[in-house]
């Protein structure tokens, strides 16, 4: 507990400030629902909208919970692949379950990391979660 | 700006910024007790009575949040929130060292620009503009799919890359004169505003602004 607290505090008290040092592979979270042996298609969870107008940008300066959740999910995805699996997976499950609302079955998600390959942007699946009952996540 | 005025202004701005985040989290229905407690600490800080206690309450609840979210909820914005809270807390707790505590915040603010600019400057991908092309092309940061079209404007992004690198690297020089600092803060504020609009990083904009009073005081204290 103490070790973890120190690990969490130190980067805030002695920050490295290396924002965007490199632009590496970027995560997308996809999910599917398994119901009675049937699997739905993989869908992106919390996708960005097609367009955000200037008025909405201004509004988001003061009220931005959805976007901040998306950014948190990016952090969780990066933490998950760097080793903080249990907490990150639990949080991602919780956030996806919140988003898809009332639905029965089991939730499974995967992390797809996007990176350029020549002229194409290619996604590589780097993690696939164990299915969890949606009812359990809502509790 | 006097030290006391700077402290009070920083406290008021910090309280308002944290209050906004509390309202968002409370509205989303997550960890409501924790965010309600944090919101109360903000109101306490705004009132200004025994504000050291309010800062302490914000520091403790922030530490709990770091555990709760497995790290920062909002990356650098959370780190800056903790840094400001810690420096204010240290200034209240150790009056003999209060100037040093707030000077540390000002120095970290300058470093946040300089280090960020330096790591870009030494990176060939940033110098060529390719890094910013990649940010728009495939990273998770653009707020909309339409913005990804900016990746097809490499010359514009090259210019933007060098504008960001240039302003970040020379930012420490703005400490030499109050007007230069004012100009630097306007440019930096515009940069944060652009990041908020294009990447949805609104919390960075507000929390970085909270540290500006310490910089204005620091410039006057050292070079005034």
């Amino acid at each position: 507990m103490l070790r973890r607290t120190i690990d969490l505090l130190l980067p805030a008290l002695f920050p490295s400030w290396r924002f965007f040092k490199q632009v590496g592979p970027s995560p997308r979270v996809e999910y599917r629902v398994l119901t009675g042996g049937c699997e739905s298609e993989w869908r992106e969870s919390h996708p960005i909208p097609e367009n955000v107008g200037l008025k909405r940008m201004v509004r988001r300066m003061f009220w931005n919970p959805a976007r901040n959740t998306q950014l948190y999910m990016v952090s969780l995805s990066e933490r998950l692949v760097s080793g903080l699996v249990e907490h990150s997976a639990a949080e991602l499950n919780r956030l996806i379950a919140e988003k898809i609302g009332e639905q029965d079955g089991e939730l499974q998600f995967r992390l797809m990391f996007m990176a350029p390959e020549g002229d194409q942007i290619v996604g590589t699946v780097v993690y696939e979660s164990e299915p969890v009952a949606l009812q359990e996540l809502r509790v | 700006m006097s030290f006391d005025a700077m402290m009070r202004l920083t406290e008021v701005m910090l309280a308002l910024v944290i209050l906004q985040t509390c309202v968002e989290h409370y509205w989303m229905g997550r960890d409501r007790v924790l965010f309600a407690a944090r919101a109360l600490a903000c109101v306490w800080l705004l009132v200004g009575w025994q504000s050291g206690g309010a800062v302490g309450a914000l520091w403790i609840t922030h530490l709990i949040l770091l555990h709760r979210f497995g790290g920062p909820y909002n990356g650098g914005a959370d780190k800056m929130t903790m840094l400001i809270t810690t420096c204010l807390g240290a200034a209240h707790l150790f009056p003999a060292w209060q100037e040093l505590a707030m000077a540390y915040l000002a120095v970290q603010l300058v470093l946040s620009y300089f280090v960020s600019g330096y790591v870009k400057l030494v990176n060939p991908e940033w110098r060529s503009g390719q890094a910013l092309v990649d940010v728009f092309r495939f990273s998770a940061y653009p707020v909309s799919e339409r913005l990804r079209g900016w990746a097809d404007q490499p010359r514009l992004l090259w210019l933007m890359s060098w504008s960001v690198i240039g302003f970040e690297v020379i930012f420490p020089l703005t400490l030499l004169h109050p007007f230069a600092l004012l100009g630097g803060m306007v440019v930096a504020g515009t940069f944060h505003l652009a990041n908020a609009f294009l990447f949805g990083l609104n919390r960075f904009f507000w929390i970085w602004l909270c540290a500006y009073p310490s910089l204005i005081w620091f410039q006057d204290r050292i070079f005034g």
Side-chain angles (χ1 to χ4, degrees), chain A residues 56-75:
Chain A
R56 199 162 153 202
M57 285 177 176
V58 173
R59 210 166 47 235
R60 281 173 162 207
M61 291 300 297
F62 305 95
W63 187 251
N64 201 18
R67 177 61 181 163
N68 283 318
T69 300
Q70 285 172 339
L71 294 168
Y72 177 47
M73 290 178 78
V74 173
S75 300

Side-chain angles (χ1 to χ4, degrees), chain A residues 101-122:
Chain A
E102 295 300 315
Q103 207 172 334
D104 286 330
E106 290 184 310
L107 175 69
Q108 187 179 24
F109 75 84
R110 69 181 183 184
L111 299 182
M112 177 96 84
F113 273 71
M114 314 302 285
E117 248 182 52
D119 289 343
Q120 303 288 312
I121 301 297
V122 178

Side-chain angles (χ1 to χ4, degrees), chain B residues 32-53:
Chain B
R32 281 190 157 163
V33 173
L34 188 54
F35 283 106
R38 205 158 154 75
L40 280 176
C42 289
V43 174
W44 178 6
L45 189 57
L46 284 173
V47 170
W49 176 78
Q50 298 288 328
S51 54

Side-chain angles (χ1 to χ4, degrees), chain A residues 1 4-5 8-9 11-28 44 46 48-52 54 57-58 60-72 74-76 78-79 84 87 91 94-95 98 114-121, chain B residues 20 23-24 27-28 30-31 59 63 66-76 78-80 82-83 86 104 108 111-112 115-116 119-120 123 126 131-132 134-135 137-148 193 196-206 208:
Chain A
M1 180 72 171
R4 179 81 186 125
T5 302
L8 289 168
L9 265 180
L13 304 184
F14 307 99
S16 74
W17 303 129
R18 294 171 177 222
F19 296 122
F20 287 106
K21 185 186 173 193
Q22 281 175 323
V23 185
S26 187
R28 306 285 187 276
E44 188 175 348
H46 298 71
I48 56 172
E50 189 53 41
N51 186 36
V52 176
L54 188 61
M57 285 177 176
V58 173
R60 281 173 162 207
M61 291 300 297
F62 305 95
W63 187 251
N64 201 18
R67 177 61 181 163
N68 283 318
T69 300
Q70 285 172 339
L71 294 168
Y72 177 47
V74 173
S75 300
L76 288 170
E78 288 166 349
R79 282 178 211 158
L84 192 65
H87 176 275
E91 280 291 271
R94 182 179 65 83
L95 292 166
E98 249 179 43
M114 314 302 285
E117 248 182 52
D119 289 343
Q120 303 288 312
I121 301 297
Chain B
Q20 190 270 339
V23 174
E24 274 190 4
W27 177 81
M28 287 189 286
R30 302 172 198 153
D31 310 287
W59 194 89
L63 189 59
L66 284 174
H67 277 284
R68 163 68 189 86
F69 294 123
Y73 184 82
N74 212 268
D78 275 21
K79 287 181 189 169
M80 185 56 104
M82 190 52 159
L83 184 63
T86 304
Y104 180 71
Q108 283 296 339
L111 285 175
S112 74
V115 174
S116 186
V119 297
K120 292 184 185 86
N123 182 339
W126 268 98
L132 209 44
D134 287 345
V135 167
R137 195 153 72 118
F138 69 86
S139 86
Y141 288 101
V143 292
S144 70
E145 291 295 343
R146 190 172 290 184
L147 276 180
R148 295 204 183 279
L193 194 66
F197 277 22
L198 300 176
F199 304 138
L201 304 172
N202 69 317
R203 291 190 182 181
F204 278 76
F205 176 82
W206 297 115
W208 250 256

Side-chain angles (χ1 to χ4, degrees), chain B residues 52-64:
Chain B
V55 173
L58 288 174
W59 194 89
I60 290 166
T61 49
H62 196 115
L63 189 59
I64 296 169

